Amino acid sequence: MFAPQWSLKGEYLYYDLGDVDYDLSIAPLVLAGAAGAGSPLFVNSMHATTRFNGSIARVGVNYHF
């Protein structure tokens, strides 16, 4: 309490829900009906990670009757 009938409160919360890893791959395109048919035109591969964490801070003032 910081004054008669008044108080102050504070709270801090950190959360970590982990992360998610996933691959984003585009299948190779195959040339058909041209010289060199059956060979891939390109291959694209990517990897992504998403993290789920954060912080919450709360402050409150109370009046006591």
Side-chain angles (χ1 to χ4, degrees), residues 20-26 44-49:
V20 175
D21 295 327
Y22 49 94
D23 290 319
L24 303 169
S25 299
I26 298 174
N44 189 2
S45 177
M46 297 184 305
H47 179 79
T49 301

Side-chain angles (χ1 to χ4, degrees), residues 4-62:
Q5 297 182 321
W6 289 96
S7 66
L8 181 67
K9 63 181 178 178
E11 178 182 349
Y12 175 76
L13 173 67
Y14 173 77
Y15 62 91
D16 186 354
L17 303 176
D19 57 0
V20 175
D21 295 327
Y22 49 94
D23 290 319
L24 303 169
S25 299
I26 298 174
L29 298 176
V30 178
L31 296 174
S39 58
L41 179 61
F42 71 90
V43 176
N44 189 2
S45 177
M46 297 184 305
H47 179 79
T49 301
T50 303
R51 188 135 179 86
F52 297 100
N53 62 354
S55 299
I56 298 173
R58 297 177 183 150
V59 177
V61 177
N62 297 316

